[in-house]
Amino acid sequence: MQDYDLLDVVLLCQAALAQDSPEPPEFYINQILNRCFAYLTSEQKQEVEVYLAEKKYLPPVDLIL
């Protein structure tokens, strides 16, 4: 990652956390995602697609019978 992109990401994180930011936190998170996504390889981008498609971000379900 280029140092100027890393600086942008840090600044966007700070803006997302600031109480007086003109945009909602989701706006800044999307900006961060856009900057970081560009550095992923094709294989990593495919991993992101699988992660989202399989909803791996959800906690495991414990079934109690």
Side-chain angles (χ1 to χ4, degrees), residues 43-63:
E43 292 81 20
Q44 290 170 322
K45 290 177 182 177
Q46 182 62 34
E47 282 186 50
V48 171
E49 294 300 320
V50 170
Y51 176 81
L52 294 172
E54 295 180 2
K55 298 188 178 199
K56 291 183 178 182
Y57 49 86
L58 295 174
V61 176
D62 292 331
L63 294 177

Side-chain angles (χ1 to χ4, degrees), residues 1 5 32-42 44-45:
M1 181 176 257
D5 283 334
I32 293 165
L33 182 59
N34 289 338
R35 281 168 177 72
C36 294
F37 198 78
Y39 286 98
L40 297 181
T41 64
S42 297
Q44 290 170 322
K45 290 177 182 177

